[in-house]
Amino acid sequence: MQSPRGTKDIFPLQSKAWRETEQKMADAARNFGYGEIRIPIFEHTSVFARAIGEETDIVGKEMYTFVDRGGDSMTLRPEFTAGVIRAASQHSILGQSPLHRFWYCGPLFRYERPQKGRFRQFHQFGAECIGAASPESDAEIILLARQCLVAAGINDFRLQINTLGNSESRAAYRARLSEFLQSVAEQLSEDSRRRMEKNPLRVLDSKDERDRVALVNAPSLTDFLDSESKIHFERVLNLLESQGIPYEIHSRLVRGLDYYSHTVFEFIGNSLGSQDALGGGGRYNNMFEYFGAKSAPCVGFSLGMERVMLTLEQQNPALYSPETPDVSLIALGEESVNTVWKYAAFLRAEGLSVITDVLGRSMKSLMKEADKFSIPVVLIVGENELAAGTVILRDMRNGGQRECPSEEIASAIREIIIK
Ligand code: AMP
């Protein structure tokens, strides 16, 4: 039996690196005053269909949707934002206070064509700032996203940023862009021809070479921005500059989803190959309405953990060093086993990582194992030690060994480990 295509098994060597990286990002989020939100892995299909938009690739062809035993249509979450806003709206959190800052981390599901950096089950770390319309909140989210990458140890990336303006600016631009796309329709890729009817802005995102050529003279959204949209964007850029954050304005950046307005951004990894977006996000001001609630402005981001981990594998292999126990505790003879287990329980309670043998192996093979996995300390308890209330303590790094009273083993081990 094989795992489904586009899924991965993560064994301890990698999961330690994942856990440490997620923790660094969680710490960064905490530094910015964000608290963790945990939401269901599946939702009613309408949560995503409405909020993400029927015309998007995600809703149109990538969702894992099934009818449950009660006859309801459910979908495995393909992104976090819709579920987070569903939860915020269901629990009327804006009635309790005007601003909420959440972070999240977990698996998502999209039926996409698997390739390097693209999976069917993947993971994101992200955050949403709910209730603020200000350019300051956009800048805060960008700063946090960037800090998550930096805290994880990634430095080799670029920040691309754009504005989609408010809905009036966007509507005017959309009309002009549609006209333009009609005029070059013959030269566009099939995908873009299909998209240009319902979601013309998405055509700008296309990576297809034919589209790039056809779009050279496309009208620029920047020319359609009204003064409110311009002022908002300039303030965001100004805040980034004041914090010394480099950025590139990318006037074709629209991101795949329907719900964005004003600021959108992406972090591009320089060492990732074709799937080079480490993550991205933007402002979305209308999502609460999809859930029948009063509208509230929001801004958020999400980072693709697989791409973050892929980058770290190349840039920081030390992160992937194995997790080694501190101590191997060896019982010589049946009668020492219970005492050895007592010592093990004591040392574990002291915070040390301790293994005892569960395969009935000889002392020789246990010493070999300790050597092979670079376990720094071996403790041996035989008949004599049992009678004397001591252990033999062996420093595996230099081969030195001595008898040690049982009350002193924790501190003696620490001395060796810290060395
Ligand atoms: P999105 O939710 O589509 O805006 O994606 C945000 C980030 O999640 C992307 O920049 C990727 O890093 C990551 N991502 C999106 N889709 C996938 C996927 N199928 N496999 C792996 N990572 C993904």
Side-chain angles (χ1 to χ4, degrees):
M1 271 296 222
Q2 302 280 311
S3 66
R5 261 191 90 202
T7 66
K8 270 214 290 209
D9 300 307
I10 301 175
F11 286 97
L13 202 57
Q14 286 109 26
S15 62
K16 168 186 152 269
W18 277 71
R19 185 163 20 89
E20 285 177 8
T21 304
E22 287 165 3
Q23 188 57 50
K24 288 172 192 161
M25 292 183 173
D27 290 343
R30 198 185 61 84
N31 287 149
F32 277 72
Y34 284 65
E36 186 186 9
I37 182 168
R38 297 189 183 200
I39 52 169
I41 283 186
F42 65 96
E43 299 268 359
H44 290 282
T45 300
S46 54
V47 166
F48 304 116
R50 266 191 235 161
I52 303 175
E54 303 275 1
E55 304 311 332
T56 57
D57 283 352
I58 293 182
V59 175
K61 51 186 190 191
E62 293 171 1
M63 294 208 301
Y64 279 91
T65 295
F66 59 97
V67 177
D68 73 6
R69 288 170 192 275
D72 293 320
S73 178
M74 297 293 176
T75 294
L76 300 184
R77 62 185 185 201
E79 59 133 49
F80 272 99
T81 307
V84 170
I85 300 305
R86 191 272 309 140
S89 133
Q90 178 178 334
H91 299 282
S92 309
I93 60 168
L94 287 172
Q96 297 151 28
S97 86
L99 185 72
H100 294 265
R101 293 180 164 109
F102 296 139
W103 68 266
Y104 49 73
C105 184
L108 302 170
F109 307 85
R110 293 182 196 171
Y111 192 82
E112 294 196 84
R113 194 168 55 78
Q115 54 185 292
K116 187 180 168 209
R118 186 172 288 283
F119 301 90
R120 289 182 174 169
Q121 174 172 340
F122 63 102
H123 301 75
Q124 283 183 347
F125 185 100
E128 313 288 343
C129 177
I130 298 172
S134 64
E136 285 74 14
S137 56
D138 295 11
E140 173 179 297
I141 274 286
I142 295 172
L143 238 56
L144 172 55
R146 186 178 186 281
Q147 188 51 36
C148 286
L149 291 174
V150 171
I154 299 184
N155 297 304
D156 194 16
F157 61 81
R158 306 184 315 273
L159 164 62
Q160 296 185 337
I161 188 166
N162 191 23
T163 179
L164 302 177
N166 59 17
S167 50
E168 293 81 31
S169 304
R170 222 164 40 257
Y173 176 64
R174 209 180 135 113
R176 179 69 196 90
L177 179 67
S178 288
E179 272 173 37
F180 172 82
L181 292 176
Q182 291 294 347
S183 72
V184 295
E186 303 274 279
Q187 300 157 50
L188 293 174
S189 68
E190 258 170 55
D191 261 357
S192 290
R193 250 178 283 156
R194 197 169 34 77
R195 280 187 188 132
M196 70 185 220
E197 299 293 334
K198 291 175 175 153
N199 199 350
L201 259 65
R202 280 284 335 258
V203 176
L204 297 178
D205 242 357
S206 167
K207 297 216 156 96
D208 193 302
E209 195 47 38
R210 279 171 296 172
D211 296 330
R212 282 182 196 234
V213 174
L215 290 172
V216 167
N217 294 318
S220 169
L221 208 157
T222 323
D223 298 332
F224 289 76
L225 295 177
D226 62 12
S227 66
E228 181 218 335
S229 304
K230 276 188 197 152
I231 290 169
H232 185 102
F233 192 46
E234 271 157 25
R235 178 67 183 135
V236 175
L237 299 181
N238 176 262
L239 277 162
L240 293 178
E241 280 158 28
S242 77
Q243 300 303 302
I245 307 293
Y247 61 81
E248 299 164 9
I249 295 181
H250 189 309
S251 62
R252 297 268 159 90
L253 179 68
V254 297
R255 306 205 17 92
L257 311 179
D258 276 357
Y259 52 59
Y260 289 115
S261 61
H262 288 291
T263 317
V264 287
F265 57 90
E266 224 156 59
F267 289 93
I268 307 297
N270 292 337
S271 55
L272 273 173
S274 71
Q275 301 300 314
D276 61 358
L278 284 162
R283 167 158 295 287
Y284 55 98
N285 289 344
N286 300 321
M287 199 180 286
F288 273 90
E289 292 163 24
Y290 298 122
F291 301 112
K294 205 167 121 231
S295 78
C298 308
V299 57
F301 76 87
S302 50
L303 302 173
M305 287 304 294
E306 277 72 9
R307 297 186 195 176
V308 165
M309 298 314 296
L310 205 64
T311 310
L312 290 174
E313 233 171 86
Q314 296 158 7
Q315 292 181 1
N316 183 9
L319 185 67
Y320 287 82
S321 61
E323 221 159 7
T324 310
D326 301 312
V327 182
S328 170
L329 242 168
I330 302 175
L332 281 185
E334 293 261 319
E335 55 292 348
S336 315
V337 171
N338 289 4
T339 302
V340 153
W341 274 52
K342 247 188 245 162
Y343 292 160
F346 165 71
L347 292 174
R348 286 172 186 145
E350 287 281 307
L352 292 161
S353 163
V354 181
I355 54 169
T356 59
D357 182 44
V358 290
L359 288 175
R361 283 172 294 181
S362 68
M363 158 115 165
K364 191 172 159 210
S365 76
L366 290 170
M367 293 302 284
K368 252 198 203 158
E369 177 191 61
D371 201 38
K372 181 173 166 196
F373 295 111
S374 305
I375 298 174
V377 180
V378 169
L379 300 182
I380 303 159
V381 181
E383 223 173 287
N384 295 342
E385 293 74 39
L386 202 57
T390 60
V391 303
I392 293 172
L393 181 134
R394 186 178 171 92
D395 179 342
M396 294 298 285
R397 290 182 188 146
N398 61 19
Q401 79 180 40
R402 67 179 171 95
E403 201 169 335
C404 174
S406 61
E407 316 82 67
E408 292 169 19
I409 47 177
S411 55
I413 292 167
R414 286 227 165 79
E415 244 171 63
I416 294 176
I417 295 173
I418 291 164
K419 251 198 287 182

